[in-house]
Amino acid sequence: DQQVKQNSPSLSVQEGRISILNCDYTNSMFDYFLWYKKYPAEGPTFLISISSIKDKNEDGRFTVFLNKSAKHLSLHIVPSQPGDSAVYFCAASARSGNTPLVFGKGTRLSVIA
Amino acid sequence: GAVVSQHPSWVICKSGTSVKIECRSLDFQATTMFWYRQFPKQSLMLMATSNEGSKATYEQGVEKDKFLINHASLTLSTLTVTSAHPEDSSFYICSARGPRTGSDSPLHFGNGTRLTVT
């Protein structure tokens, strides 16, 4: 049973437009959420995070929105750039000590010039 | 920023041999490291939690006698795949929580090791 779901395996967006990547979770104990970016044959790179006390966190072109009632979060990238093309993983954890992360299956974003 | 180094980045070995993968936190101490495995087009699956100075905690379905984990120091954890078989071929990634304490600190990942067992 997947606790973190990314239902879109891939997404194509034109350069300059907004990319919206979605993530749903089922475990109500999760209260800390992260997005990672991964290039082929490399480890994931931390992008942005949000805790459950917030509904939005912004860092440059990247904004993460959290809707706790819907157990849904999304990553917005605007404007999208070709270098953003990668696999994006949504991850979640419960704030109960040094707990590992639970990952979604990832969404492959392709930004077309 | 916090850096996690993983070595080797890729390895090819024959069936029946053992392979050791090293994971080092380069500029911070990590009492806990996590080992993940990723199959093509799949999520990162947690294999085990490596604790410095004590036994690792394995996830359900992961054979502890096959995937030996040693966390001998605050900056080094090793994963040894013993008697490797072709089905062990995968992408193994280690991670450690960054210098900030508590679960708010994001995990930092190594670049992973691509293991191919022939």
Side-chain angles (χ1 to χ4, degrees), chain B residues 22-61:
Chain B
E22 291 187 350
C23 179
R24 294 180 186 272
S25 56
L26 295 185
D27 53 1
F28 65 99
Q29 294 181 334
T31 55
T32 304
M33 291 185 177
F34 304 98
W35 287 94
Y36 287 85
R37 180 176 181 176
Q38 186 189 20
F39 291 105
K41 297 183 181 180
Q42 295 295 317
S43 179
L44 287 82
M45 300 301 297
L46 179 67
M47 297 176 64
T49 301
S50 170
N51 302 299
E52 188 267 337
S54 65
K55 291 183 179 179
T57 305
Y58 291 82
E59 295 300 301
Q60 192 174 11

Side-chain angles (χ1 to χ4, degrees), chain A residues 2 32 34 36 38 41-46 49 51 89 93-106, chain B residues 31-32 34 36 38 41-44 46 49 59 91 93 97 100 102-112 114:
Chain A
Q2 268 193 288
Y32 183 54
L34 308 90
Y36 282 85
K38 185 180 181 300
E42 293 185 9
T45 304
F46 169 71
S49 65
S51 69
F89 288 96
S93 75
R95 199 174 297 183
S96 56
N98 209 353
T99 54
L101 296 176
V102 179
F103 285 84
K105 286 189 175 182
Chain B
T31 55
T32 304
F34 304 98
Y36 287 85
Q38 186 189 20
K41 297 183 181 180
Q42 295 295 317
S43 179
L44 287 82
L46 179 67
T49 301
E59 295 300 301
F91 193 57
I93 313 174
R97 208 170 293 281
R100 299 202 310 267
S103 59
D104 282 4
S105 182
L107 279 183
H108 296 277
F109 287 83
N111 274 335
R114 171 74 59 195

Side-chain angles (χ1 to χ4, degrees), chain B residues 2-86:
Chain B
V3 176
V4 174
S5 174
Q6 189 172 339
H7 177 82
S9 55
W10 61 271
V11 58
I12 301 173
C13 70
K14 291 186 176 181
S15 187
T17 61
S18 295
V19 174
K20 180 185 282 189
I21 303 169
E22 291 187 350
C23 179
R24 294 180 186 272
S25 56
L26 295 185
D27 53 1
F28 65 99
Q29 294 181 334
T31 55
T32 304
M33 291 185 177
F34 304 98
W35 287 94
Y36 287 85
R37 180 176 181 176
Q38 186 189 20
F39 291 105
K41 297 183 181 180
Q42 295 295 317
S43 179
L44 287 82
M45 300 301 297
L46 179 67
M47 297 176 64
T49 301
S50 170
N51 302 299
E52 188 267 337
S54 65
K55 291 183 179 179
T57 305
Y58 291 82
E59 295 300 301
Q60 192 174 11
V62 178
E63 298 176 57
K64 61 180 181 181
D65 294 329
K66 181 168 188 60
F67 299 99
L68 299 179
I69 291 173
N70 186 296
H71 195 154
S73 77
L74 288 171
T75 59
L76 173 65
S77 175
T78 61
L79 168 69
T80 301
V81 183
T82 62
S83 187
H85 289 110

Side-chain angles (χ1 to χ4, degrees), chain A residues 52-92:
Chain A
S52 58
I53 60 173
K54 294 184 175 181
D55 54 18
K56 176 183 174 182
N57 189 25
E58 191 172 351
D59 184 2
R61 295 185 298 115
F62 303 92
T63 303
V64 56
F65 295 91
L66 175 64
N67 183 333
K68 290 188 293 293
S69 61
K71 293 191 176 67
H72 177 84
L73 64 154
S74 61
L75 174 67
H76 293 211
I77 306 173
V78 56
S80 301
Q81 299 173 354
D84 296 329
S85 298
V87 177
Y88 289 79
F89 288 96
C90 169

